[in-house]
Amino acid sequence: MQASSHITERQVGAVVISAIIGVGILALPRIAAEEANTGAPLVTLLGIGIAFIGLLLLTLLGIRFPRESIFEYGQRIIGRPLAYVFNTCLAVFFILLTALAVREFGEVITSAVLRRTPTEVTIITMMILVVMATRQKLLKFTYFHVFYLPFILVPGLAIVLVSLQNAELLNLQPIIGNIPARYGKGALTIAALFQPAFIVTLLIPAMQTPKKAIKSFLGGIFISGTLYMLIVCAAVAVFGPHEINHLMWPTLELARATTIPGDTLERLDAIFIIVWVVSVFTSLAASYYISINGAQKVFGSQDHRFISHFFLPFVFILAMIPKSVFSLYVFVEIVGIIGLALTIGYPFILLIVALLRKVRGEPHGNSSEVQETD
Amino acid sequence: MIRFRNRKKPQKNPNLTTRRTPGTPEKLTGCLESDLMIVRSCLGDSDDIEIRHLHIFNEFQGVIIYYTTLVDTLSIYRDIHKPLMYKPRHLEDKSIHLDNLMDTLMNETLYISETARVSDGADILDAITEGSTVLLIDGIPGGLVLDTRQIEKRGIEQPQTEHSIRGPKDGFIEVLDSNISLLRARIKVGDFRIKIVRIGKRTKTRVALCYIESIANPKLLKEAEKRLSKIDIDGILDSGYIEQFIEDHPYSPFPQVQNTERPDKATASILEGRVIIMVDGSPFSLIIPAVFNQFYQVTDDYSERFIMGSLVRFIRLLAIVFSLIFPALYVSIISFNPEMIPTDFAVAVAGGRAGVPFPAVVEVLLIEVSMEVLREATLRLPQQIGGALSIVGVLVVGEAAVGAGFASPITVVVIALTTIGSFATPAYNAAISIRMLRFPLLIAGGMFGLYGLMIGLIIIMNHLLFLDSFGVPYMNPVTPVSKQGLKDSLIRGPLWSFKKRPSHLHTLDDDRLGYEGVPKAEPVLQSNKQGE
Amino acid sequence: MGILAKCKRQISLMLLVLLVLSLTGCWDRIEIEDRALILGIGIDEAEEGASSTEDLTTHSREEAAPLDNRMIRLTAQIAVPGRIPLGPGGNGGSAEGKEEPVWVVSVVGHTINDAMNNLQQEIADPRSLIHLRVIVVNENVARRGMDDLNDYLRRNQEVRRSTWLLITDNKAADLMGVAPPLERVPTLYLLAMLEKAADMGKFPKNSLSNYWNSESKLGQNAYLPYVSIRQKENILIKGLAYFNSNKLVGTTTPIEIGAYMAAKGFNPGGYTAMYNVPGIGFVTIRATERQSSIKVDIRNGKPHATINVRIQAELAEKYSPKPGMDDQEELNMAERGFNRFVKEMITSLLEKTQKDKSDIIGFGEIVRANNRDYWHKHIRDKNDWALLYSNMTYTIHVSSDIRRVGMKVD
């Protein structure tokens, strides 16, 4: 009746943050330190930079086409058949991303808290939760992200703060990393962690003033990037660049290594994992939402809810493909890097072509409603 | 998240007030005998109906009809019989025609303040059943409705369900008019409006919408009226009936309409731009729209100074969280993640549980359920016995359960804290929904430990975020964030910082304060001293 | 009814989920009293011929034969629920002596997990390491190498990183049996002792986590508390046990812990030095606060360390009453004596560790952090630095400041 049906720029920022921070945060310090030892913060920064460029392209496109998402303006820029192929690729990629993330989540839960519970069960419960959330309209979906934002940021910051007591500055030196330090692959893998932020393309059309999206996107990347940096720094400073390589999930290990003074709770890892479930949920929901939307455009279907149910078994099957954590991380790396080509390359092509062909979107009228996805 | 669809309300007769019992004629003819026949046939031969013939001014044949059980007989005798039988002095030398008899009676003769001419047979019947007296005169079509209603009512007392330490002590009662008067006495502006509709095919209960016209959002009002008009039911016995027909999501465990017994709370809500629905026969008025925030706020928060008010409110919020998750958390930690508690304590807890035959989740469930039974029993018993029972229940049963090795002492502590926590929630309906939700959480926790608890909490939170009350997001002002609203949510900001009315209500006039900043007191005493 | 029909799918889905969950759920639920909470474990070398008496739970005799000479005896201390009274108060005192609050189980095995499995074979409740607080390892086992132990502990999600790992010269099993009268649970006594020692500055806070962190660094070696039993019931912190490549290579004296903490600048200062000041006699000085800065530079292609230590101290005792000690000059003499003493102690510690090629201070890490190219040129693995360290030169500067002298003047 009364509530404004537009999404504000702050809400978009919140969605960006909570979409980015997800399952990857646990393995992040290892990914960074494996390749570049003490240069891990630098690698992270590079990764953030790459992700930043990709998302910047996407946001610029969104501003140029303020009433459409990438699935729609893609058709106008490069023509229907080609865009159809890309849209399919995007949808498939995000389903794959969801599947791998949920599998990684399942692995963490299974090895850290619920040791005897089958991974399948944790994966299914989480996916049901995600499906239930993605059936909502975009506005309500945004609310989920906004509300959970503190539950995503605070535990991360708390872990960083608590672990400061064990940090050693020497572990972060030299900043560029001891030889041999390879930045490339690590940076790409880290940039791939930012991919769920692709959801901005769906949010921009629902904003009142899409021009402001650039602000919210900058803020979102800044905050999530800062948290990532802090966590990498903290983990490397506490464990040292070599110990991290022995740890499957260093961020979790940070939580395990610290106790709250005063002997109230002795181990924080369970608490941390549990709160981390929230950030996994929001980030999974974001990437799943993208794939549902893409599929909707590909199938030309209006039934958003049906698709969200329909994809569930696929995600589950895909999630069960990797045999162990080791092969899972190989998959994550490959899919992440291929995905970067898609999530950065495709917007790049679109933007170039749009500039060359001088295609523009219709101006954003105030009367336009939130995209009805229900 | 389970999505509850809006239920399709059956199509209703849009003309709410003119609904009639079947078989009544459209118009009265004016012929007394036939009119009376009609009335008799509709009202039947109840023993408390009084049909009294009289000669008005010794000239005209008239009859008054009323229920003796509903009217003030003294008033009928004094204000109707007497002036009708004795022609008033100033009319003595005037001759009165049948044509202007009605006007003369209304304007110059009867001592009844509320009179109306009706010609519709159904209206006359409605008036009689409501306690008015109807005067029919031979030769005049239609009749005169005289308000003589008098029904028993209790005095205004302190509200039973919402106590306050500091603040007004009066509460609503069952009579609509008294309740409205309590509000009117508080809001002394002309644009405080009352709209009354009648709902219920048989009870024809009066339902009043109260709002300030220059504040309340007209869309909200229209929506409320629309939802009320769609109600088609036999009878409305309490405002709870109305609530269940107008709420947005009937399948949600959370109340989306707030109720209150306190006129001050109702007034505050009206001033915020909300609409109050009052129902004749119920001391509970409904406040729409309602957001989750309102269920842990009490009027005391505003009467006390803001720092203390905020702290107390925070404690209440803590109690809600306690009562929701404490048992589930306990079970998850004990049965799934005992590494979280300190070693000495863990060893001791293991000792306490050593003889208990059930898993923690079953143990907690059993005790929880018995606690709920105890609570319900205490509620239904007469007050004196209730007090005794609760002490017996808590002390004796708890102690014995531990002694018998049926429960571990820590479980009893946990349950006690949980129960006490749930009593700290001021709104009974919200408290009960939270109390009931802790059972699914407990089972989830018993199945998947902390992970299950978290999944359960996410489901509940997602549901809360999804809910609307009359178009207002339920988690407002936390999500979507409203700066002004946050000042009066987790904390209770100073009154002088509430510059605007809650933004989610989209009020017409949203300024609450006449000035900016902190009010500063002049140092009166000091200047006096200097003067001495 | 239309409503019900619409929700039917959802309701049936919910029911299905609930059914599935309730039929299969609760995999991980183990009540706390049904867990065999292992509070501490001790690891010793197994006696001769243990392989023939071992219970074969994880392997056949022939399969594990190559490991037969490395067998261990694992002694676990398991909390017995019910024996430890709930809540404070000593009303459980009557049970003391007669009913032990813990249950000590001893098994042999080829590896930790092997031994653990043997242990599980003997006890009913599933073993649980979630409250494992102290691991005591016998010196001989530690000299043999700790790699297998570390792998098990790192891999096991139940083990906390804040667990204390101790090296002892006694039998580790004996430490598991020590039951001092102060604490209800023996392991917790050991734990409390270590934690209080760390708070008082008797020992640097050094849990499993720190041990692993140092051990995996190329330019640093790890150390652990070295403990011993005195008078059957008491536990003594005997020094540092320092490692090279996960093998115990040497131990220090308790006062050298103080020297180590001074060199690293660890606070609070908990050690007291007794030494002879010429002209004044013996005094004892208690260090209260230490600061240190370590620089390593490369001189002639070799690392050279400069250690600057500043110590704030207080006068605790003066042995001989004869010469007075009442002016600043005498205090300065005492300070100079203290400086000499600390310097000697640090030097002796460094010489000892250099001889054993164990860089517990972490000079190598400083080189790694500041001399990227030098490090790249010379260091490939941990042993490279250990060799460089054993030939490293260093200069030590100690300056001290006696701030307090107590309430007596003479």
Side-chain angles (χ1 to χ4, degrees), chain A residues 38 111-112 114-118 121 168 170-171 173-174 177-179 238-239 242-243 247 253 256 266-267, chain C residues 17 27-28 30 133 154 156-161 212-213 216-218 365-366 368-370 372-373 375-376:
Chain A
T38 54
S111 33
L114 299 174
R115 304 234 287 156
R116 267 165 287 260
T117 306
V121 176
E168 281 176 53
L170 271 186
N171 286 336
Q173 286 171 302
N178 280 111
I179 307 164
V238 168
F239 297 119
H242 298 284
E243 174 72 6
L247 306 172
E253 216 67 35
R256 282 179 61 178
E266 292 220 325
R267 276 175 65 165
Chain C
V17 170
W27 289 275
D28 281 280
I30 309 173
R133 305 304 297 269
R154 259 205 194 110
N156 193 320
Q157 142 296 331
E158 291 182 342
V159 178
R160 29 181 102 190
R161 287 185 78 96
W212 285 338
N213 291 348
S216 55
K217 285 173 189 163
L218 294 185
E365 280 299 294
I366 300 171
R368 186 191 55 72
N370 299 327
R372 185 169 181 259
D373 296 322
W375 184 260
H376 180 57

Side-chain angles (χ1 to χ4, degrees), chain B residues 142-325:
Chain B
L144 201 56
V145 173
L146 311 163
D147 181 30
T148 51
R149 174 180 151 97
Q150 189 195 40
I151 51 169
E152 289 308 317
K153 61 177 182 187
R154 65 184 170 106
I156 287 175
E157 288 163 11
Q158 202 168 340
Q160 289 292 311
T161 56
E162 290 166 275
H163 288 284
S164 81
I165 309 297
R166 180 176 170 183
K169 304 283 185 196
D170 53 349
F172 287 134
I173 57 168
E174 282 75 8
V175 180
L176 180 65
D177 304 280
S178 316
N179 292 349
I180 292 177
S181 81
L182 285 175
L183 290 184
R184 276 254 181 245
R186 283 182 162 82
I187 306 175
K188 298 178 194 71
V189 285
D191 60 353
F192 173 44
R193 298 288 146 80
I194 313 282
K195 282 261 164 66
I196 295 182
V197 289
R198 278 161 205 282
I199 301 176
K201 229 184 301 190
R202 307 255 186 261
T203 60
K204 297 195 176 149
T205 312
R206 293 190 299 157
V207 175
L209 280 168
C210 318
Y211 59 94
I212 294 184
E213 194 159 34
S214 58
I215 296 178
N217 185 336
K219 280 191 198 154
L220 168 66
L221 213 60
K222 226 165 129 190
E223 181 67 27
E225 274 172 352
K226 199 175 105 197
R227 291 190 190 179
L228 283 180
S229 72
K230 281 186 178 167
I231 302 174
D232 188 0
I233 188 179
D234 248 25
I236 298 288
L237 302 183
D238 181 66
S239 56
Y241 285 50
I242 301 277
E243 174 182 352
Q244 291 168 57
F245 277 98
I246 62 172
E247 63 189 354
D248 292 59
H249 308 278
Y251 291 100
S252 168
F254 291 95
Q256 298 132 56
V257 175
Q258 196 188 9
N259 60 58
T260 184
E261 259 194 293
R262 303 182 58 89
D264 54 336
K265 198 167 179 174
T267 312
S269 302
I270 291 175
L271 289 177
E272 275 186 335
R274 296 178 209 274
V275 173
I276 300 289
I277 298 176
M278 293 212 276
V279 177
D280 200 12
S282 167
F284 289 95
S285 61
L286 304 177
I287 303 173
I288 56 165
V291 294
F292 184 74
N293 251 329
Q294 281 163 262
F295 293 104
Y296 61 88
Q297 301 175 346
V298 296
T299 48
D300 271 350
D301 291 351
Y302 301 92
S303 304
E304 279 305 331
R305 296 169 56 249
F306 83 94
I307 297 177
M308 296 307 134
S310 299
L311 288 176
V312 172
R313 181 177 282 183
F314 186 72
I315 285 170
R316 225 175 290 129
L317 197 70
L318 212 64
I320 290 189
V321 176
F322 252 45
S323 64
L324 185 63
I325 67 169

Side-chain angles (χ1 to χ4, degrees), chain A residues 29-308:
Chain A
R30 179 170 53 81
I31 296 172
E34 249 173 8
E35 302 285 329
N37 53 70
T38 54
L42 201 66
V43 174
T44 317
L45 201 64
L46 273 177
I48 297 170
I50 297 172
F52 174 81
I53 293 167
L55 290 170
L56 186 69
L57 294 173
L58 194 66
T59 317
L60 289 177
L61 272 172
I63 292 171
R64 197 176 170 92
F65 299 92
R67 297 179 75 164
E68 293 161 305
S69 72
I70 194 164
F71 302 113
E72 288 145 338
Y73 54 69
Q75 295 182 344
R76 296 217 281 131
I77 297 174
I78 56 170
R80 263 173 185 282
L82 207 54
Y84 190 84
V85 174
F86 274 111
N87 286 355
T88 317
C89 286
L90 276 176
V92 169
F93 165 68
F94 276 103
I95 287 183
L96 212 56
L97 197 69
T98 317
L100 290 177
V102 81
R103 173 64 190 272
E104 194 178 345
F105 165 78
E107 286 299 330
V108 175
I109 292 288
T110 315
S111 33
V113 250
L114 299 174
R115 304 234 287 156
R116 267 165 287 260
T117 306
T119 319
E120 288 86 349
V121 176
T122 32
I123 288 180
I124 285 186
T125 44
M126 185 37 111
M127 274 321 290
I128 289 177
L129 203 62
V130 168
V131 167
M132 264 152 54
T134 46
R135 292 190 327 180
Q136 307 296 343
K137 290 180 182 173
L138 192 61
L139 189 68
K140 294 286 180 191
F141 184 72
T142 316
Y143 288 172
F144 295 160
H145 288 271
V146 175
F147 182 83
Y148 292 127
L149 190 61
F151 299 94
I152 295 166
L153 291 180
V154 172
L157 288 177
I159 287 294
V160 171
L161 278 181
V162 184
S163 56
L164 277 185
Q165 54 184 345
N166 300 325
E168 281 176 53
L169 214 55
L170 271 186
N171 286 336
L172 289 171
Q173 286 171 302
I175 297 170
I176 50 170
N178 280 111
I179 307 164
R182 292 173 299 272
Y183 302 122
K185 209 173 104 201
L188 286 178
T189 318
I190 290 171
L193 297 180
F194 284 74
Q195 275 161 342
F198 207 74
I199 196 156
V200 281
T201 186
L202 302 177
L203 296 175
I204 289 175
M207 289 179 76
Q208 187 149 28
T209 39
K211 285 224 167 69
K212 289 187 179 162
I214 197 93
K215 226 170 80 187
S216 39
F217 141 79
L218 280 178
I221 293 276
F222 178 74
I223 292 176
S224 49
T226 311
L227 186 73
Y228 272 16
M229 276 298 279
L230 284 176
I231 284 183
V232 169
C233 289
V236 176
V238 168
F239 297 119
H242 298 284
E243 174 72 6
I244 279 199
N245 293 340
H246 296 302
L247 306 172
M248 189 69 80
W249 295 294
T251 314
L252 181 62
E253 216 67 35
L254 267 187
R256 282 179 61 178
T258 46
T259 49
I260 295 179
D263 281 356
T264 32
L265 288 177
E266 292 220 325
R267 276 175 65 165
L268 297 179
D269 54 336
I271 291 276
F272 179 73
I273 287 250
I274 290 322
V275 185
W276 166 80
V277 168
V278 177
S279 46
V280 173
F281 160 70
T282 53
S283 141
L284 277 178
S287 41
Y288 196 56
Y289 206 85
I290 302 170
S291 58
I292 291 171
N293 252 281
Q296 213 180 329
K297 298 286 147 35
V298 170
F299 295 148
S301 155
Q302 283 305 306
D303 196 349
H304 166 82
R305 305 174 119 206
F306 171 73
I307 296 180
S308 97

Side-chain angles (χ1 to χ4, degrees), chain B residues 254 292 320 323-324 425 429-438:
Chain B
F254 291 95
F292 184 74
I320 290 189
S323 64
L324 185 63
T425 312
N429 50 359
I432 218 161
S433 63
I434 285 169
R435 202 152 46 212
M436 292 308 155
L437 277 176
R438 76 172 178 240

Side-chain angles (χ1 to χ4, degrees), chain A residues 1 125 132 148 266 305, chain B residues 1 3 340 451 462 470:
Chain A
M1 164 200 66
T125 44
M132 264 152 54
Y148 292 127
E266 292 220 325
R305 305 174 119 206
Chain B
M1 160 120 331
R3 198 192 136 96
M340 279 166 56
Y451 174 66
N462 280 0
F470 284 80

